[in-house]
Amino acid sequence: MPAVDQNSRRRHATGLIAHDPDTAFPGYTLFAPLTGSGEVYLVDMEGRTAHEWKLPYRPGRHARLLPDGVLAYNGVLPGEEALFPMWHKYRGGVMLKAAPDGTVLSEHRDPLQHHDAHHLDDGRILYTGLEPLRGGDAAGVVGGVRGTEAAGGVVWADTIQEVDADGTVLWSWRASEHLDRDTYALHPAYAREHWPLINSVTPLADGNILASLRSVSAVVVISRATGEILWRSEPGTVSQQHAPTELESGAFLVFDNGVFRPDCDVPYSRVVEIDPASGKVTWEYHDPAREFFFAPFMGSAQRLPNGNTLVTDSPSGRLFEVTRDGYLCWEYVVPYFAGYGESEVRGLFPSEPNAVFRSYRYAASQLPWLTTGGAA
């Protein structure tokens, strides 16, 4: 071990960095380190671990608590071949539920699942998957760097599936069927192996589907009835974004990564509210030193009951909370680095990061099992 740790992030402070108890929303914050082997942590406002799960698969992105206290977790299906160079970075394949003690209660498997799997309260799962496009169908995908298709000239195109608790498909959607190639063209700097790279999918209050198309910088609403695109963010509003969610007002809260943002010479990330009626940004947060907060990939934001916003600066493992007027009132840096246990990801990211995909805050009242003995 060298005298000076060569991991830049690990040299700096981890754990709790800041906390203003008069302003922050009290509760517990959940996250799953992407470089772990299946650990999920729930930390209190002082950064102390209040509970931990140990699951049998490394994270296929993130975990979330359901209202009944069950953990919904997206894990990586072991032993799968890489469909293209970056597939092992964000693939999943195992969508499970686990009790507070870590007992696996149910699993749904799909080796083509990636990025997001949204477990609904009634047992349904809405998730993103892939299908191969070949020949003319692949060539018809517009944009990207020519010659960067997957093996055999394949372009892997996104699908969305909804299954019931038994795994029966209830609803499905295909990008190749419903997206216009010119309107939803890949950014010219992106590889053509995956189009349009849906990194988030959630149901809306009206039953339609909210999705984030990263590689084409678009947030869209998909009709559940017809599959057509009912709404999309205006071009240039967000850039390589993640994790849009619907607020009670009907606005969409989006983590805007800011990669390839038009007319911007210094990249930075921000969190924005978009009014779907006007298409305009009605609120945003960025760091006062804009360049300090820049997440070129991944990220999420959660609107809290007191109006604050929990932000996940994913590549840095930095979780922080801001008020409506931009006051940072809580900050925590994930102290878990590397781990992996699998060479498939370590080969892509040898720098031993402390990254997380998303984090979620829960009030104590949402976690009765934590104080009643159910957390054994």
Side-chain angles (χ1 to χ4, degrees):
M1 186 72 179
V4 176
D5 189 347
Q6 296 304 291
N7 187 312
S8 300
R9 291 195 177 105
R10 194 165 52 203
R11 278 199 308 274
H12 295 274
T14 61
L16 184 70
I17 305 299
H19 181 206
D20 180 347
D22 293 331
T23 308
F25 178 74
Y28 297 84
T29 304
L30 183 82
F31 62 89
L34 283 176
T35 56
S37 58
E39 298 79 18
V40 180
Y41 298 95
L42 191 65
V43 299
D44 66 17
M45 296 302 290
E46 299 305 316
R48 298 173 298 228
T49 299
H51 190 66
E52 178 182 351
W53 292 257
K54 181 67 176 72
L55 299 166
Y57 312 98
R58 72 174 178 87
R61 302 284 91 179
H62 66 106
R64 187 170 65 93
L65 282 167
L66 302 178
D68 59 2
V70 168
L71 185 78
Y73 178 78
N74 303 322
V76 173
L77 187 63
E80 295 295 308
E81 296 296 322
L83 302 178
F84 45 83
M86 294 301 287
W87 179 236
H88 284 322
K89 177 189 174 185
Y90 52 68
R91 72 182 182 90
V94 183
M95 294 150 272
L96 65 79
K97 290 183 178 181
D101 66 359
T103 301
V104 174
L105 304 174
S106 65
E107 283 189 6
H108 175 69
R109 294 188 171 199
D110 183 340
L112 295 180
Q113 183 266 329
H114 67 89
H115 274 98
D116 202 8
H118 189 92
H119 291 73
L120 285 81
D121 299 347
D122 60 4
R124 291 176 293 146
I125 310 173
L126 184 71
Y127 66 91
T128 51
L130 290 180
E131 66 170 350
L133 302 183
R134 298 182 171 89
D137 289 336
V141 173
V142 176
V145 179
R146 288 292 166 181
T148 57
E149 292 83 0
V154 171
V155 173
W156 288 90
D158 283 303
T159 65
I160 302 174
Q161 304 273 353
E162 184 181 78
V163 298
D164 65 15
D166 296 321
T168 302
V169 176
L170 303 174
W171 181 83
S172 62
W173 181 90
R174 301 166 61 222
S176 62
E177 180 182 356
H178 292 288
L179 291 187
D180 178 81
R181 305 297 200 270
D182 292 310
T183 303
Y184 296 93
L186 286 168
H187 187 280
Y190 264 84
R192 289 175 52 80
E193 59 193 16
H194 186 177
W195 169 78
L197 209 163
I198 298 179
N199 57 31
S200 177
V201 58
T202 57
L204 294 172
D206 64 5
N208 292 315
I209 308 299
L210 181 67
S212 167
L213 286 54
R214 172 177 165 83
S215 297
V216 302
S217 291
V219 175
V220 300
V221 174
I222 301 168
S223 168
R224 183 181 289 270
T226 67
E228 67 180 314
I229 303 300
L230 301 175
W231 178 90
R232 71 158 288 174
S233 55
E234 295 181 3
T237 304
V238 290
S239 298
Q240 317 300 297
Q241 73 296 320
H242 283 75
T245 55
E246 183 182 28
L247 303 179
E248 289 185 3
S249 66
F252 298 144
L253 185 71
V254 186
F255 188 100
D256 179 20
N257 294 76
V259 181
F260 304 127
R261 181 179 288 123
D263 304 317
C264 178
D265 60 343
V266 177
Y268 65 93
S269 296
R270 61 181 185 161
V271 177
V272 297
E273 277 184 34
I274 301 173
D275 174 17
S278 67
K280 304 301 181 185
V281 171
T282 57
W283 176 85
E284 75 173 86
Y285 167 82
H286 56 76
D287 195 273
R290 294 192 184 205
E291 69 281 1
F292 177 78
F293 171 34
F294 176 51
F297 49 90
M298 303 188 294
S300 71
Q302 176 194 6
R303 180 57 45 82
L304 301 173
N306 68 347
N308 291 355
T309 302
L310 178 69
V311 182
T312 306
D313 179 356
S314 296
S316 299
R318 177 174 170 253
L319 321 178
F320 62 95
E321 179 183 348
V322 296
T323 65
R324 189 75 181 176
D325 59 5
Y327 172 64
L328 189 150
C329 56
W330 185 84
E331 183 177 15
Y332 173 91
V333 175
V334 172
Y336 307 106
F337 290 81
Y340 288 123
E342 294 188 46
S343 61
E344 65 181 24
V345 177
R346 189 63 178 270
L348 292 170
F349 300 96
S351 61
E352 299 185 355
N354 62 336
V356 296
F357 190 57
R358 297 179 189 166
S359 64
Y360 296 93
R361 173 76 53 78
Y362 299 93
S365 60
Q366 295 176 278
L367 310 171
W369 54 266
L370 190 61
T371 56
T372 59

